[in-house]
Amino acid sequence: MAADKSKQVMFSGIQPSGIFTLGNYLGAVRNWSVMQSDFDSLFCLVDLHAITVRQDPATLRENIMRGFAVLMACGLDPERCTLFVQSHVPAHSQLSWLLGAYAQFGELSRMTQFKDKSQRYADNINAALFTYPVLMAADILLYQAELVPVGIDQKQHVELTRDIATRFNGIYGDTFTLPDVYFPKVGAKIMSLLDPTKKMSKSDDNPGSYVAVLDEPDVIIKKFRRAVTDSEARVRFSPDKPGVSNLMTIYAALTERDMAAIEAEFEGKGYGDFKQAVAEAVVETLRPVRRRFLDLMENPDYLLECCHKGAEKAAKKAEPTLKLVTERIGLIG
Ligand code: AQP
């Protein structure tokens, strides 16, 4: 059903929330960039997901363009993958509505992200926040994706996608491919620099808790200097040292060293040297991303052209599944 039959289909998405964090980068976007040519890859800036939290229209517009530029700056190449904005392909919303009839209230109520976000945004627990996972299922199933590379926090949503697809296939016969989730070996859950028991999150009120992909080098160095560690003053990977272990994870993901090698490298050295080394590795990784981003933002016409071409490609790939689903359900064409 996918357009390019010679390769497996891979799909993933990210919200245009203004800031992309080092967590988004290591948990998701960097791997998308590395894997894009090995698959028939689709990557989507999920603006319809972003409106489940109240957005200022002018800021949202700007964040969508900036988000698209950051994805390209991180290495997503519109010639090698299908890179697009979710709302430009109406089939996502159409399939989401149809799939809503095959998702149960009980299973949606159990989604951790819904529980977290309805606490955080208690004055705006809207229906779309609740049905967010159904739209995510539509995003994935629309392209018959076999692989969904995400951070660990999205595992539950991919499992629900499989449950919805299995239910639909059980009623109407084979319609959807069941997607597998893919996590990076290191970096699937980067923790907050200030509270390493919490996920690094762009909506954290304290910007010191996250590194943004576009942070300036001196800001990054300062944030790592202030990162929470412990009083043992020994670089060691252990569950009872969440702060140090998180920094080691970041360093491991960027330098491709294992934990034993990192422990050996910093044997007898204090946390000051260690934090400096981690910060420098992050700065050097993000420096070219920032440079490419600034270049791309100089050329909004080119960005828009890439957006529209990506949407055209995605819409073509989406068409057969939407047609099949409407037929299976019994709607007339
Ligand atoms: N801390 C993280 N470590 C590893 N992976 C992460 N991801 C997010 N945070 C981390 C992965 O990034 C991809 C895109 O995420 P998203 O923008 O759709 O939203 P999110 O998961 O809700 O990310 P945030 O930063 O935590 O946003 P807010 O603060 O708005 O809730 C996903 O693959 C995600 O797993």
Side-chain angles (χ1 to χ4, degrees):
M1 272 159 239
D4 182 350
K5 294 266 187 196
S6 63
K7 289 180 175 175
Q8 284 195 313
V9 179
M10 172 164 79
F11 175 92
S12 203
I14 185 162
Q15 296 188 55
S17 329
I19 294 162
F20 287 180
T21 68
L22 185 63
N24 296 133
Y25 181 75
L26 292 178
V29 182
R30 183 176 72 151
N31 310 302
W32 303 353
S33 162
V34 171
M35 295 158 77
Q36 64 185 324
S37 295
D38 299 335
F39 291 82
D40 177 7
S41 305
L42 297 110
F43 302 113
C44 181
L45 200 57
V46 289
D47 54 348
L48 296 176
H49 285 284
I51 62 163
T52 55
V53 171
R54 199 66 75 224
Q55 303 278 348
D56 167 64
T59 312
L60 180 60
R61 260 190 294 276
E62 194 187 324
N63 286 345
I64 294 170
M65 285 321 296
R66 286 172 67 88
F68 203 86
V70 176
L71 291 178
M72 286 177 65
C74 287
L76 298 187
D77 175 357
E79 299 297 324
R80 292 193 286 152
C81 67
T82 304
L83 179 62
F84 65 105
V85 176
Q86 187 184 33
S87 64
H88 291 178
V89 182
H92 287 250
S93 315
Q94 291 168 287
L95 184 61
S96 174
W97 178 260
L98 299 175
L99 291 183
Y102 306 88
Q104 298 300 308
F105 178 85
E107 57 193 359
L108 293 176
S109 314
R110 287 193 290 277
M111 294 296 110
T112 314
Q113 183 171 297
F114 172 69
K115 290 190 218 163
D116 290 349
K117 289 209 167 164
S118 48
Q119 264 180 11
R120 214 186 310 156
Y121 305 103
D123 57 343
N124 183 24
I125 309 176
N126 57 74
L129 190 64
F130 186 67
T131 56
Y132 181 116
V134 181
L135 178 58
M136 182 163 157
D139 297 338
I140 297 167
L141 299 177
L142 194 52
Y143 301 102
Q144 307 288 351
E146 281 144 299
L147 204 68
V148 184
V150 284
I152 279 180
D153 60 319
Q154 292 298 330
K155 181 168 178 261
Q156 199 186 26
H157 287 162
V158 181
E159 280 165 0
L160 179 67
T161 299
R162 287 176 65 93
D163 291 345
I164 293 172
T166 305
R167 190 170 299 136
F168 194 98
N169 289 351
I171 300 170
Y172 300 105
D174 258 5
T175 307
F176 294 121
T177 303
L178 297 191
D180 286 319
V181 70
Y182 170 90
F183 305 128
K185 279 188 208 79
V186 185
K189 191 171 188 186
I190 301 297
M191 311 307 279
S192 154
L193 297 182
L194 297 180
D195 177 358
T197 61
K198 269 180 25 192
K199 188 185 82 150
M200 181 182 283
S201 212
K202 52 178 130 36
S203 56
D204 199 305
D205 292 333
N206 190 339
S209 69
Y210 57 76
V211 171
V213 168
L214 298 176
D215 274 346
E216 306 247 16
D218 57 328
V219 174
I220 296 177
I221 306 248
K222 252 186 230 145
K223 285 182 177 177
F224 276 103
R225 247 182 234 146
R226 291 184 190 142
V228 167
T229 47
D230 53 57
S231 55
E232 191 195 25
R234 185 168 161 219
V235 176
R236 187 168 61 85
F237 192 79
S238 159
D240 60 355
K241 291 168 71 71
V244 170
S245 298
N246 186 40
L247 297 183
M248 288 178 77
T249 301
I250 294 170
Y251 195 59
L254 296 176
T255 61
E256 292 181 13
R257 259 170 257 190
D258 63 20
M259 296 308 172
I262 297 172
E263 287 176 359
E265 183 182 345
F266 294 99
E267 182 70 53
K269 295 188 185 155
Y271 286 153
D273 288 347
F274 172 53
K275 285 178 168 181
Q276 184 67 23
V278 181
E280 278 169 15
V282 173
V283 165
E284 288 319 315
T285 302
L286 296 182
R287 196 189 296 281
V289 173
R290 201 180 136 71
R291 201 180 308 125
R292 281 197 294 269
F293 168 79
L294 294 173
D295 285 349
L296 283 162
M297 290 303 284
E298 295 279 306
N299 198 345
D301 289 346
Y302 172 65
L303 277 177
L304 263 180
E305 189 190 318
C306 291
C307 267
H308 292 142
K309 279 192 182 155
E312 259 173 54
K313 263 174 29 184
K316 275 205 195 92
K317 291 179 186 208
E319 218 175 318
T321 301
L322 189 63
K323 188 163 178 291
L324 179 65
V325 172
T326 50
E327 279 167 11
R328 291 261 151 108
I329 292 176
L331 305 177
I332 60 166

